[in-house]
Every structure is written in structure tokens, then in C-alpha cells.
Amino acid sequence: MLLRHTPKEITERSALVINPAKTCQPIGAMYAALGIHGCLPHSHGSQGCCAYHRSALTRHYKEPVSAATSSFTEGASVFGGQANMLQAIDNIFAVYDPEVIAIHTTCLSETIGDDLKQIKKKADAEGKIPKGKEIISCSTPSYVGSHVTGFSSMVTSMAKMAEPTGKKNGKLNIIPGWVEPADMEEIKRLVGLAGVKTILFPDTSGVLNGPLSGEYKMFPDGGTTVKELKSTGDSIGTLALGEWCSGEAARWLDSKMKVPCRVLDMPFGLSATDRFIDALRMIAGVSVPDEIALERGQLVDMISDMHQYFYHKKVALVGDPDQLIAMTEFLVSLDMCPIHIVTGTPGKKFEARIKEITKDMPYEVNVRAKGDMFLLHQWIKNEPVDLIIGNTYCKYIARDEDIPFVRWGFPILDRQGHQYFPTVGYKGGLRLLEKILGVLLDRLDRDAPEQSFELVL
Amino acid sequence: MLLRHTPKEITERSALVINPAKTCQPIGAMYAALGIHGCLPHSHGSQGCCAYHRSALTRHYKEPVSAATSSFTEGASVFGGQANMLQAIDNIFAVYDPEVIAIHTTCLSETIGDDLKQIKKKADAEGKIPKGKEIISCSTPSYVGSHVTGFSSMVTSMAKMAEPTGKKNGKLNIIPGWVEPADMEEIKRLVGLAGVKTILFPDTSGVLNGPLSGEYKMFPDGGTTVKELKSTGDSIGTLALGEWCSGEAARWLDSKMKVPCRVLDMPFGLSATDRFIDALRMIAGVSVPDEIALERGQLVDMISDMHQYFYHKKVALVGDPDQLIAMTEFLVSLDMCPIHIVTGTPGKKFEARIKEITKDMPYEVNVRAKGDMFLLHQWIKNEPVDLIIGNTYCKYIARDEDIPFVRWGFPILDRQGHQYFPTVGYKGGLRLLEKILGVLLDRLDRDAPEQSFELVL
Amino acid sequence: MAAIPKKKLVQWDPAEVKAELLAKYPSKVARKRAKQIMINEAQGNETPEISANVRTTPGIITMRGCTYAGCKGVIMGPTRDIVNLVHGPIGCSFYAWLTRRNQTDAGPDGENYMNYCFSTDMQDSDIIFGGEKKLTAAIQEAYDLFHPRSIAIFATCPVGLIGDDIHTVAKRMKDKFGDCNVYAFSCEGYKGVSQSAGHHIANNQVFKHIVGENDAEKPGKYKINLLGEYNIGGDGFEIDRIFKKCGITCISTFSGNSTYDQFASAHKADLNAVMCHRSINYVADMLETKFGIPWIKVNFIGADATAKSLRKIAEYFGDKELTDQVEAVIAEEMPEVLAARTDVRTRTEGKTAMMFVGGSRAHHYKELFNEMGMKTISAGYEFGHRDDYEGRQVIPTLEVDADSRNIEEIHVEPDETRYQARKTPAEFEALEKAGYTFKQYDGLVPDMDQGTIIIDDLNQYEAEKLVELMKPDIFCAGVKEKYSIQKLGVPMKQLHSYDSGGPYAGFKGAVNFYQEIDRLVNSRVWSYMQAPWQKNPELSASYVWE
Amino acid sequence: MAAIPKKKLVQWDPAEVKAELLAKYPSKVARKRAKQIMINEAQGNETPEISANVRTTPGIITMRGCTYAGCKGVIMGPTRDIVNLVHGPIGCSFYAWLTRRNQTDAGPDGENYMNYCFSTDMQDSDIIFGGEKKLTAAIQEAYDLFHPRSIAIFATCPVGLIGDDIHTVAKRMKDKFGDCNVYAFSCEGYKGVSQSAGHHIANNQVFKHIVGENDAEKPGKYKINLLGEYNIGGDGFEIDRIFKKCGITCISTFSGNSTYDQFASAHKADLNAVMCHRSINYVADMLETKFGIPWIKVNFIGADATAKSLRKIAEYFGDKELTDQVEAVIAEEMPEVLAARTDVRTRTEGKTAMMFVGGSRAHHYKELFNEMGMKTISAGYEFGHRDDYEGRQVIPTLEVDADSRNIEEIHVEPDETRYQARKTPAEFEALEKAGYTFKQYDGLVPDMDQGTIIIDDLNQYEAEKLVELMKPDIFCAGVKEKYSIQKLGVPMKQLHSYDSGGPYAGFKGAVNFYQEIDRLVNSRVWSYMQAPWQKNPELSASYVWE
């Protein structure tokens, strides 16, 4: 057994986290910043943070991830990191020449109380910021929230780049939240089909799913441009996909820029995508194009064709709140039964939302925000499931307990495809069904006695 | 063991086929005919043929497949099927009112020598064919060729609908061959991106991957229209994808209609897709759009990222000639080693082509046209492989020999996805890589001792 | 899963429905179909007449298959230790390869050819010069590779037309091998009007070439044969389980999970229990005439029907030990069944079903729907005969048409040495006085409600109309029909292959079926067909920001 | 796979390359980097000086990690039966969770916490009010759940800043438990200038808190410790296999696949063999001073180097039995190695490599490339010190800067009771006369060719330039560098994690490495970057129909 020391019996833990279902804020801020065209994320802390975040993102995407660091020394930790930051700004513009430096803090710089706004002022005063270049920043102490809240903070800083001209641009802001590059691309495709002009931010498509062409672009072609970000204040409205990832930025634009917003669930699965598409067509005042209707119909068709294999299968889920809410709703709509649901990100309203979605289910539901995968594993030992959906770390549980496993979420370190094939939208729903069905039927085929080994399923 | 009676020792068989790697011509003709908009395929023979073909296609697509039959009785078999056919024409137009009836023969009607051209003449003479309606037909005796040649025959009959006006239509004919609806859709997308106007025939997209909407359309929205088919004689040229499936029709248009043609491999994998795209841009005189270049680069990127897992893995392949040729070339380009390759379709030039593609491989290659899956299984027993790629029937070999298995080809009766996600083109290549990698890594994870169970792959 | 409330009951007038179904047909077709579409107006014991087992109309999209399918696919397919070699072009053998879900237990001897597909793959040269040489070679190759105890040869369409004498080839090879019984079936697809002819051809040959081949005594006190059970989805395994528990010995099953030796020993049973009346009642007659084994109609589809059938078997043997054991088994099995039934009925009561399948199944499964409180509002057979609808009493009056004439009828005599009456005339009389009925089957019609619609050889066009007009909660037929029905938003259950479900026979099967139907008729899925923007299509202005 | 011929050799002038690398830097940075980029012009035994183990420049994208990574990730990570509890916000523990490929064999006792991740997940309240209470509770919960023999605590950045006294907490819990050794590491990420400081902090604590805890005698005739081997991809398993075969007993490995008890018994060995000089040479010194165990530098990367190292160990013990066994093992293992080498050399001869990794690896792996006939045209360390480049003779001259000053240096004395010289002065003298060298390491530079470029703390910008200018056939570094290099069309091999390959140590490892490099430098893949239309871009007219 890989996790041989995990006991079935569950004891409450007040201080010890084992096998976390979250990581720290800065990596979220870094991922979000990569969704700005020509942006170099910068980690204001000791160099290890930056190294770890770059490694984690690189392993997930199998793509280069560039980011700089203030490389704090012990001295800097005592006397403050301003000198390091100013020096970094000089060097970054001199050597890498990005359009934007997106700085996030760390537990280190937060604990010593570095003030980025002040540092930026100083840099400005000293003329360290070349004309037309931008520096944005957000506060992401690792001891608050999780990678999800860090992502949200940087997205909010992106929103704060808005420079309203007073003249509406006729566009819709869409904040996709922490989804894959392929998902962002798919959202753009759907929006395009619906004939809505949009500003999508952040946008990591074309950044973290790039080609191999013999050329290395430190700043790839993708990403939301500074021009677009400045224009978000002139948009007709904002759709935020996911309360945890995107709500704050949307509400800031609403309250400060008077750009009305609506926070929807991330468009995973049938119903959440329905609500997204319905919002689009109402905002745009268009009727839904046949192509989208066809994709929807195909998803419903596959649900009906394969329903017998989904029906009442028990599922354990671990991941981030926005994703889990949409996935739970999707599974329930397939008549599957998500019975153990864990996120490491804090937030009681997550538990409430899940309970609401699962209230008609024939099984008792275990849900925990600020939980960990050790707890999830113990729940599974007490009430086994037919399927686990989560990030790569689930493979240790899946192997120990011999449970079919679909990789979904962050990080996925041991398989390919997530950066190329979307799971949002109706087509994404088809892909999720294909994957879920694949592992369930593989298991059926594996365990079937020879008498009932089936050719046709 | 499911195939417990299959001996390792190989003895030549002159008369007995066991576990065929092909089926008969009529089903190919039926599938092709479904790619015409508003067409009802008709099987001129006893009703069992039609029932079997409809069932097989239905199990593969999980979609309705409508086709009529002459329902031969013993009497008809003695006195000829003309009366049945004429009666069928009456009933079909009266009850189902299709745009086209696409008739194919069977071993029965061929053996007794029914003459469809003559029957059609008679129907015409007797005014049984309503104005503006079409009847096309092809000869598909089950005792010649295979489902692939049957497909080709019906496609050729579609080409023969050409009614040149003498005025070029500026379009390119593309004959995709026996690929999935999703593949035909993907070819249209690529061609669209390349800015080439085309007539794609047959086209089963929108026919066999339809939505569930509460409405049943016996004749779905998809399919090549009669108008388009009549116009193929005015096209600037024809690209036939796959010698076996599409070559004959293309050459007919070339020799009879003076529409120049080029026969390419089916665009599965990197190189075959390269040749397809290169042909498109040269014919259209356009440069390849960035979007296609990006998709290509992504495919190359994933090949390089995952090369270590493909390198020198042995593969057994079974399927149809055009698909196998492209797939073999693709696998070789990944440094994989396809060592056992079987098609049930006759054709010595298939073996020659495969030998050519695999000549630099470090292993001896077994290739057989007009072979069967019993032979393939015996080859595998004698020289085991790391992967099997083929239709659903391979699952019996895969389970007995405990070999990773990727479903690809026809029929796929026990999994979903093939009708929705293309495997042609660069994106299709990414999907193939994802699937191959998936089963190889699942096996790696399954068999890894705990010491070397990997988080990151 | 919460049951989705459905606005029921759709009102329809059967006469109008029938008129609708016929409206679009050319008059000739309309006249023909009118006789095959019957509004059930049974009064007392006089049943209206329906036209059945008649030709399919060319061009009308039928559900039917061919004689080969009935012979090779249905009857011989489930037999595991016979090499079923199809003589003909490749297709017919390919399509019958593992596509029916007859489950098989390879048993201790481990002989199982079910997963294999054997064909002579005839080529044009064989059509021109004849296929006997190739057939002979193929039989030899099969024998050399596998040394099976038996090889069966099946003719597909061209074989009859080119005149290959497959029976002589078979005989020659049988004599040559000595240790392998070889015989052939002239089941060309163009014969007869449906699979039914194929069943007949298959059963005749089994009777002629296999039954009675093994006279060795078989152990067991209460010995029966189960005729017309094909072990789809493991039905036969469940029935075997029950027989075993009751102490009943099943000498042979025709032909689910069967072996050559079972057929060969069939004459050693003391009672024939007939499941699928259509496919095999004539075998029961022949076994009675030749060996003196009486037969009764049974039905193991439905828990109550299962109990009834078990009691009927026990009553025949008239032995308290068996009767007690049967009652004990029923008492043990029923509670779980009733619990499941009570549960699902809260969600299925009053819902409606349609069934168009087989030559007996549509009748058998009505039992299960009854148990769930569901009403069968329309039903019919794919390849049934009039007696399957109206009851065996019509058999003498059936006229044999051109298509049936060529299907061989075997004339059998009592076997000089092996005929043996199973009971004394007095015993039989006593049983019958007590209301016991031998070789009795009343058919589907009497069990259908007044005003329901019974349709023979339903076709795709009529099926679609029927669903549109009568809006059933579930529709049952085969895979070809499944998806066109479901496109209409009505769940469709395959009753040939069970959609990879089952078993549905016996007690456990009943529970499986209850739950499966509950899943289908109460699934959320059918509520997804409409998108929100279809439900309220008004636009723009109405969008509410936070 | 056919080797793809590549047009070699790119001509470049090292001085120009260096100038190019520096051109874009602000002058201050350029001056600093100039000292860390050295053109190798070694004459005789005088090696030029390089600046190393100095601060990373803020804003310059470095390959380096932090002190915590070196301490928890590298040194303590591979130890399986110690619960490694990270005190700090969640991230640091999460990122070090199974991301290094130290393989572990749970052994007979089955204790293995490698697959677990333990953290106190500090929250803002802990930062404000102090984290000692939470740490105490977490240690207690870990103890109650697992009852491990030891718990190690690691401080991340904020811990030092808010002044949690983790050492006192550890001591208190150790005393409380009695049966569980608890100790802490002040390895905050901001300390030092690279992972190197973390290695030092870790090793010091291991030496202080664990080494010498178990005085029980260990069986074995030729007892050694292997220092600085971390069992990445199973390297340690291969070395253990070879030791076993030779009859050498490895008392403890620092710290690949190690256990608490191995560390505790390290003082029972008679020789310390040092693999990674950078991470552990000072431990070797301390073990010698305190217990009298002499040390030698070894290298098991490369088959020849492995043979050389085995002979060196055997020579130390000076026992014919061992010498013969070692020779026998080498004789048995080498043929397969040479066969593989000969084969791949036909495809790798003359190709070029670059390596920028670790504090010794870049040097060790040069051996393997040499064996393949490949030239290392540029190399350097990520966290090496001057002695790793220039050799130990420079150690006395190294000035301790502000960053290193705070990294504790332990002063050790000979152990009164347990110090014991392993050989007599005469024996040592004899060995040295025979040319045997103890505690000797000459560093990377002398092994590099004239005119090659040696670069300390290479950064992403320089790496990209270097590859563009010198076009190596393969580039070696870590995962962060992998894909930017490969985008340039140059295969990149990770020498931290081996890209899920390995083992590469010892004899079998050498064969693995040959084959892996052969795969990489001769892969077809790099020829696919250009599409056909890029190769001949002319258009339309030229299309040839059949």
C-alpha cells in the first residue's frame, strides 16, 4: 500500500494537515498573470517560492513558465525587500523587456510588511518603469486562503487596470476563472458563435499550450492585451464564471466602474453551460445559434445513451470550489452520486452549495471545505466509491483502494490532454462523459467474469 | 481465456476464415449512402442483410440508421427481384419520401443476376420516380472485396451523379473515405480555415452524430446535397483521401469529367496531415493559416514531450487499408514499432506499402492483407506487443494477452466518443496521442512496483 | 433520484390510431397492414383474427431479420461446444459474431467456441465454380485446429442458389472423422418470411441429427428439458439456479448455454417445459410423439409467473418432496422480490408500455409490467404466428402459404425401442381433471386489455406514429428501433439484447427488471431535451445583472 | 530508428560567446556575471578562479531554489521512516510532496511516510499570535496517528521572522514522548543563497541529533557509509546491488532510501565514500574528526567511474578477498556495458552536451558523456561552491560572506569513548605512498577541455543564448529549463529528476543512460518542427495532379 499508514478510523485534527487539497496563494497569482499578453510574473519573496511555482506549472503544462523573483536574502528579510524589488525591476526591463510585470507577494514579504504600492511609486519616481510599460501587483500571503484566492487577487488587480473612457466599447467582459488554456479557447469559441464581442481575462490560451516550432518565445502570442484590460471599464457588463475565482474582480468593476456583473457557475456540464449560454444570448439579444444547439443536443444524446452506466454510481471528488460545484451538479444530473467532496480552500458557503445540489440524492453526502486528501481517503475507506475525480495526487488513493480514476483539476502531472481539450461547454461535457465512461467500462471489462464479458456496451 | 482454443503454433489455412478483419460490401455502400442528404439506402436482397447492416451501424453510432430492403422471398430468388424492387420504390416514395434512394446489391441479387440499371429504367418508364427525386445504385456482391470496396463503389456512384455544366464552380471535391462523422466535420473545418471552397462527399456529419431534442428526423440535417453531387463535375479538382475508399471515384471524375484528381493518404497523424494541408494550400494558392500551423506545432510539441513513452513500443494493428497505412506511418514517426498489421481487405499493394513505411524499423514486420484476427492473435502469441489498436473485437485478444488496447476503426461497439471527436488532422493526432499515452501510462501505473510508482510522468 | 411527474394519461381512440397508421400507405399496403393491426375487442373466449407470419412488404422498413439469423443466430448460436461454420460470403458470419448476448459457461471441459467466428468467406470464383471444395477444406481445417465433437454448417443466400450440396459434404466429413458429428442447415436468408423459418430449420436438424444420440442414463429425480430459453443476459443461469434449488434436473436447455451432449440426451427427460412457444413448440410435439415426453407451457419471466411455472412442474411430478421444496424456494425468494416491487411501484404505477419483439417475449414481459402496475397499451410480435396471438386452437385452421411450404415439416413416429409413456393414462386423466393442461397456450391476445392495439410485424414508420399518438412511458423492441424512439424522448428498452442488462428471468431477474424500468421511466434525462432558452425564448432587455 | 545526420560542428569563439551573454545586462549585473562565467584556460595545475555560491541577482530568472528545498526536499526528503512535518503556510510542504524522485523501499518494517505530505498550514492568526501552539498540537496529532520513531520539523520563511522557537518545541515533545526523537531545522527559504545552505543545515542537525544514537554493532566485514547519494530514479538501489555483490556492507546512505536507524549507526562504518561532494563533504569531515572514519571521494555515475570507485574502496580495506570479488564483479558487469556503449557510440560519437545542474552532478555526468564519445562544451553548477569547481585546495582561501556567515558551522571534537582510528598511521602512510588519496576532490574545472565555458548559476536568458550560439546536441538541467530549451529544437534531459527515467548510476544505470541519450539526440522528432510548406513555400501553379 502506498498510503499504508492511513487508518480507516477518523479522528479530528485541529492543527495537522495531511496530503493537502490546496496550495498557497502565490501560484494562483502567477498562473493568472501568465494570462496577460507580454507579462512577466514576479514573486516578491525568497527565490524558492518562484522556483516551486514555476516547476509545478511546468509539470502540469509541459511548457516553459517564466517568472522572476526578488531573491530575498536574510538581510533583505530584516531590512525589507524594497531594494531587491527595485533592482529586479531594472533587470527585468533591461533583460526581458515585458509589457507588464505582475508582482505578487509571499508569506515572507507580507510578514515583514513590504508595501508594493509604495515600492512602485518609488520605481516610478526613479524612472525605472519605461514609458508604456506596466507594473501591477497584488497581495497574496501564503497563510491566507489558497491558490484559488491568490488567482482571484491577481485577476482583481487585472480588473483594476481598467481606464474607462466614458464611451462604451460594446463588449462583454468574461472572467473565466482558473480553467485550462483549452477551456479559455473553448469559451471564446462559444462566445464567438453566439456573436458576442468580449474581453476575456485572464486568457492563458496560446500561452501554456504552445507549439514546438524551433522558436522560443518568452512571451507567447496569447494572453489578454493591456489595451483590452484597460478597456474593461467601458464594457457593457461582466460575466464572472465561478464565485471563488472571478467574483471579486467582477464586483470591483461593478461597484467602482459601474460595469454591471453577474456571477455564474463555471460552465462545466449541461446545466451550468445552459445558464452560461442563456446569459450570453440574453445579454447579446441574439438567439442561440444552431451549432451550439447541436452540441447541446449531442451532449444530451450521449447522456441518454449511456445513462445506464452512470446511474447511481458513487463518486469521490476533490478539487477547487468553483470546479467542484459545477462538477457535482453535472454528476447529479447524470444520476450519479457524488458522496465525498473535499476542497482545501476555506469557505463554508461551499459546503452549503454542495448540500443544496445533492439534497435529493439517495445517499448521505460528506462535504468539507478546508479539508485534505487524508480525510477524503478515510471517507472512502468507510464508504467506498465507484469513481474518483481529482488531480494527480488521487492516483495514490485510487491504486490503494482499486478505484477507477479520472484526472481533472490542478495539478495533472502524469497525463496529457488537459491543455489541448476543453472540459467546459457542451463539447467539454462530452469529453468528461467519455472519460468517466471510459474508466467505468474499463473496470467493467476488467472485472467481468468470462460468461458476461460483453462485446456491445 | 476467452479465446482459449487459439494455438500459438501457426498453420496455414486455405479455406477457413476465423475472426474476420472485414465484413461484406453492402454495409459499406449503406454507410456511404447515409452521407447523402435526404437519402434512404436500400438493400436489394433478403431482409436479413439490411437488418444486420442497420444493427451494426446502430451499435457503432448509437444513432438511428434507416434503410429499406427488397425483402426477397424464395419466389423472388427464383423469378428475380424486379417486382420487389419496383414495389419497394413505390412504397419508399409514398411513405418516406426521400430525395434519393441509394440501392446496393447483395450476394443474393448478384447471384441471380438482377440488373439494377434495367430495373431503374422500368421504374422510370412506369413513372415510379417522382420528379426531382433520384435513384442511384451500385453493385456490391458480398463475395467480392470487403466493406471497404462496397463503400468505394457507392462513393463512385455518387460521383456518377455529376452533371457538368461546363462552367467551373471554383470548388475542390474532397472524398474523405470511410471516416467518422467527426472526422468529416474536422476536414471541413480545416478546409474552411485554409479558405478552400469544397464539396465533401460522402458527409455523414450531422447524420450519425445527431442531437437528442425530442424530434426524430428520419433524414437529418447533414449529408452532401444532390445539388452538390451534381456539381462535382464542375469542380477544379478532386482530392481523394485513401486509395481504397476514394481512389476509384476520384479517377472516374478525372477520366470521365476531366476533373483532375490526386489520391492522398487519409490525414491521420503528422505527415499524412502535412501532405493534405500542403495540397490544400497549393491548390488554393493560399499560405497556411496560423491556426493550422499552431495545431501542427502543438502536435509536434506533444510528440516531443512524450516521446520517451512511445519510443520502441511494439504495436499490433488491425483495420482497413487506408486507415492502417496512415496509422502505421504515424506510429513509425513516433518511433513506435507496429510489428503485426492485418487487414481483411484484399490487396497485395497494401502489404507493399506497409513494408515500405516500416523498412527502417528495428523489428521484423508481419503484415497481411486478406488476413484475419485469428492470425493476428497467433502473431501476438509468438511476438508479444505493448499495444493493440483496432476495433472492439480486439478486446478479446487484449484481455487474454493482457495488452493495452486503443479502440480505433470500425466497429466500436463498447465505448463512446468516436462519433464526436475526430482523429484526423493535427487535433485528431493529439487525440490519438492522448489515447495511446493513456493506456500505456495506465499500464505503467498498474505494474509499477511501489518503489517506482511515479507522481510525475 | 426523484421521480419526474409526467402528465398522463394521453387520450386516444384505437380506431383513430389505426386509421392514422394506415393513412399514408398505398392502398395495397394499407389493405395488407389493416389485417395485421388489430384492435383488441375480445369478448368472452372468442378472439378476433389477426394476420401474422406473412411476407414483409418490400420497401417498408421492417424490424425483421432473416432465416439464417433465426437458425444460426438464435437457435444454434448459444451452443458452446459446436463449431458453427457459416458457408457463404463473410458478412453473415461477421454480423452474427457475439452480437446476441447468449451467455455461456465454458464448464469443466472448457470447450467454448462462442467467442469465435467461422466462415468460408466465399469469393466470386466459389460462386461461379461452386463452393463445395472450399467448404470441405474449411471443415477439415476446423477439425484439425480444434477437434470439436461437432461441426454445424450454415448456408447463406448464394449457397442454395448455386446448388452446393452441403448436406452431402457434411455427411462425407462426418463419416471421415468418425469422432465428430457434422451436419448442415439449409437456412438461406431468402427462405420463409422471418427468423421464424430459421428456428424451424434449426430445430428440425437438431432433432434429426443430435437428439437421441446419447442413451446413457442421466442422474436426477425430476428430469425436464427447458425448451425455448436462450440465456440472453444470463436468464438461463438464473432459471438453472432456481431449478437446482428446487431439486429439478434440467437435462437440456434448447438452447441457452447448451452443449452437444445436452441435445443428444434430451430424450431422457420426463417433461418438456416450453418457454418460447413460437420458436420451439413443434420440437416439444416431436419429442412427445417419438419418445413420449409430455410438454407444458411455462414462463419464467415475472416472479409470479416463475412461481406458477415451478408449481406446475411440481404438480406434474406429483411428489410431495418436490412440491414442498418448490414452496420453500418460492417462500424464500419472494420477499426480496415483493420488497423491490413495492418500492418501484410507487414510481411506476399507472405508467404505460409498448412491446414489439420476438414471437413470445412481448407476451412474457407483459407479466413483468403487470407486476409493476404498468399497462401494456400496444404490443405485437416481430415473427410470431397466429397461434402465438390467438392460441394453439387456431393451429389446425392455419393455411400454409408459399413461403412456409418449403420449410420442412418432419413427420415422426414413436421410437420402437425408446418410446415410453411418462405416466399411465389414468395419471394423465387425473391431472387433467384437476385442471392441469398439457400442450396448452392461449397466446397474447386474451391477456391484452380491451381496446389495446395489437400489431404484427410493426415497422419503423408505424412505431414512430404510435409513439407520437399514444405517448407510452416506455417502448420495447430491438436495437434498430432503439434510437429513433429515444429521439422522440421516450425511453426504449431492448428486449432482444436487454441493452447489456439482465438477467430478467426468475426471481432475481424480476428485481433487476423492476429497477431497470424504474431507472428508465423516471430518469431525469428526458427532461433535458429542452434548453432553457426554448422554455422562455424572450430576449435581451430581460437580462438581470446582479 | 535511423540516426538523423546533423550538420556539425558549430564554430564558436568562447570569448565572443561570453561577450554575447553579458551584452544585454546592466553594467552592475554584467560585472557580477562576468566573474561567474569562466572560459576554461587551465594551464598545468593552476586553475583560473570562478565566483560561486554568491547571491542570485533579483529579477534575473534563476534555476535556483531555496534553503528549505535543500534541507527538506533534498536531504531529509528521501528518509522514509521520519515524519517530515513542515511548519509554515501550506505551499512549501505541497511543492515538496513527491516531486523529487527519491525512490524508497518500505522494507520489512513497512514504515514509509514518503507518499505523505505533512504541514501545519499556518494561517494569519498563527502569524500574528505565533505558531508554537499549533506546531505542538500538530506534532501531537502526528504522533497519535502514526507513532513514528522520529518527527522532523522544518521552518519556512515566516517562522523565523515571527520567532517561533521550534527547537524548544521539538525538545519538549521529544522528552514528552520518550520513544520518538523530535528535532527541528531552521531552514527558512531566505537563508543563504541557494539550496546549498539547506543541505548544510540539514546535515548539521542529522549529525547532532541522530548520528551516534545507536551503538549496537552492525554485521559485515567491509563497512562503509555512502554520503551524498539520494536514490533519484533508483540510483541508490543499483549501487546497493553492486555493493551487495561485492560483499561491501553499506551501513548508511546519506540519504537515499535511508532510515532513522541508518543515520544513528553511521559511526559504525570504517570508511565514508562521498558521492555528492557539495552537499555533504563537511559531514565526512565531522565523522572523521569525531569518530575517526576516513573518507574518500567516489563516483558511481559512469561505468568506468563505478569500477574505479569500487577498486578504491577495495584498496582501502586492502583485503585480497574483497579485491578479488570486486574484480570479479567488474569483469561480470562490464561486457554488457561495453556492448551497449559500442552500439550507441556509432550514433553519439562527436556530439556535444551542456550541463547546468546541482553541485556535483554536472561533473559526475561528464563521465557518462565521455563514455559515449560526447563532448561537454559548457557546464556549471546551480549551487556549487568554488571548491566544487576548482578543487578542495581552495577551501582555506574561501571568504565567508554575509549570507554564509549565519549558516551554522559545527565544531566537533573526537568522541571520548567512541573515537577510533580505522588504521594505524603506518597503514595510512603506506596507502598514501601508493598514491592513495583521502579527502581529495579536484573539482570540475580540471576535467573540462580547454576553451570550454564554465558558468555558475546559469540563468534562463544565458541558457537560451548559449544554446543559440553553441548549438549543443543535448542540454541538461532541471524541469524549469526543460521546455524553453526544447522549444529551440534541442533535446533536454533533466538531471535532477531524470524525466521519470533511471537509474543511471552503476553499471546498469550506465546502459540506461546510453540508451536514453541515444534516443534523445537521434530522435526523429526534432526534424518535424518545419512543415513541408515551410521547406518549399512556393504556391499554386506548382500543384501536380495525378
Side-chain angles (χ1 to χ4, degrees), chain D residues 167 221 234 238 266 295 386 388 416 439 447 495 519 526:
Chain D
H167 300 284
K221 200 160 170 193
E238 165 66 358
W295 71 267
R386 274 187 59 205
D388 303 309
E416 294 87 351
K439 42 196 315 182
D447 278 355
L495 284 187
R519 176 185 73 79
W526 310 107

Side-chain angles (χ1 to χ4, degrees), chain B residues 75-92:
Chain B
S77 310
V78 177
F79 306 112
Q82 173 169 299
N84 294 53
M85 190 65 242
L86 292 173
Q87 195 189 347
I89 291 169
D90 274 338
N91 292 334
I92 289 168

Side-chain angles (χ1 to χ4, degrees), chain D residues 248-365:
Chain D
I248 297 164
T249 305
C250 188
I251 297 291
S252 75
T253 300
F254 285 57
S255 56
N257 190 38
S258 59
T259 61
Y260 177 85
D261 186 66
Q262 282 184 33
F263 293 140
S265 312
H267 61 301
K268 290 297 185 180
D270 296 320
L271 177 69
N272 285 322
V274 173
M275 270 287 284
C276 176
H277 176 265
R278 171 69 272 122
S279 59
I280 207 149
N281 68 84
Y282 38 87
V283 172
D285 286 338
M286 293 190 285
L287 281 163
E288 178 159 23
T289 314
K290 185 167 184 184
F291 299 105
I293 311 171
W295 71 267
I296 57 173
K297 176 73 174 67
V298 296
N299 173 25
F300 290 100
I301 302 298
D304 300 345
T306 299
K308 193 157 154 256
S309 299
L310 290 172
R311 290 188 172 115
K312 194 162 178 186
I313 292 168
E315 189 180 356
Y316 168 78
F317 288 101
D319 182 328
K320 183 160 186 326
E321 178 193 352
L322 177 59
T323 315
D324 292 351
Q325 185 54 24
V326 161
E327 290 306 330
V329 168
I330 294 168
E332 185 186 337
E333 299 273 341
M334 282 306 283
E336 189 198 334
V337 174
L338 294 174
R341 188 187 293 176
T342 316
D343 169 41
V344 298
R345 264 188 102 118
T346 61
R347 293 178 298 272
T348 54
E349 187 80 54
K351 294 198 185 293
T352 59
M354 291 184 179
M355 275 180 288
F356 297 93
V357 58
S360 295
R361 279 182 184 248
H363 188 190
H364 290 160
Y365 275 82

Side-chain angles (χ1 to χ4, degrees), chain A residues 395 431 434 450 454, chain B residues 1 395 431 434 450 454:
Chain A
K395 76 194 280 185
R431 177 172 162 87
E434 184 196 24
E450 293 197 351
E454 300 285 349
Chain B
M1 302 291 272
K395 77 194 280 186
R431 177 172 163 86
E434 184 196 24
E450 292 196 352
E454 299 286 350

